[in-house]
Amino acid sequence: MSVFAALGTLLTRLADCLAPLFGASATAAAIVLFTLCVRAALHPLARAAARGEKARAALAPKMAELNRRHKRDPERLRRAMAELYEKESVSPVAGCLPMLLQLPVFFVMYHVFSTGSGAGDLLDHTLAGAPLGGRWGGDPTGPHGPVYLALFALIAAVATWTYLRARKAAADARPADARPVGAGMAAGAAKVLPLLSFGTLVTAAVVPLAAGLYLATSTTWTAVERALLHRTVRVEGVKGSARSSR
């Protein structure tokens, strides 16, 4: 049995369990619930990524100092940076690897929800009468317009919240003086990444409704998870600093 078929079988069984509660929309509810369960299972990776990002951020002042001291000697700067990472037991890619490990899972789920490949009649089911295999026709007054508008409203709200939080975080973390090597790239990424949530809104408008549900659920989970993780990691950092000062 392929991975896609296995996922389709799990969704079918989950939908059967949810049918008494959600009726004809049980498959849509199964997509949402299954996505939440997968994201919960991947939470340790997201937590590791948040800690890695925090560790790299903590080194920013020292990296800025190295950049100021060795800016005329790139080779020496690279050696000094490598020594700093080794001394602090921090990987230059801390926070990136855990996120990359999640990508294959997201790809499989998106593939099934957007194509129905290996998942039987998954896309033949409905949500409030709107076919899960159907796409928004661009007419908000159509028979299934309210379903798509509610979906778009959720994704837009999450995207806006994510964007505003990212801008605030970037403003709070902006260094007052010299920047370390790669700071320009990091700053550019910090500006672009929040905008990807608005890209999700565009994607949801052209993919099948099932894939749109998956995107909305996963995007909402990501926004809430990152907010909670950053708060938790920040609290842990404060406690750690208090212990070390004793």
Side-chain angles (χ1 to χ4, degrees), residues 176-191:
D177 49 10
R179 298 180 302 170
V181 172
M185 183 182 301
K191 294 179 180 179

Side-chain angles (χ1 to χ4, degrees), residues 40-86:
L42 294 174
H43 178 71
L45 290 176
R47 192 177 186 86
R51 285 175 173 169
E53 292 172 3
K54 181 66 175 180
R56 288 208 317 271
L59 292 181
K62 295 181 180 179
M63 297 289 285
E65 175 60 23
L66 289 177
N67 183 68
R68 184 191 65 78
R69 188 182 306 170
H70 305 302
K71 60 183 179 181
R72 298 182 183 278
D73 189 345
E75 183 59 31
R76 188 173 181 183
L77 175 59
R78 283 193 291 270
R79 290 200 304 269
M81 290 170 59
E83 291 172 359
L84 177 62
Y85 280 125
E86 183 177 1

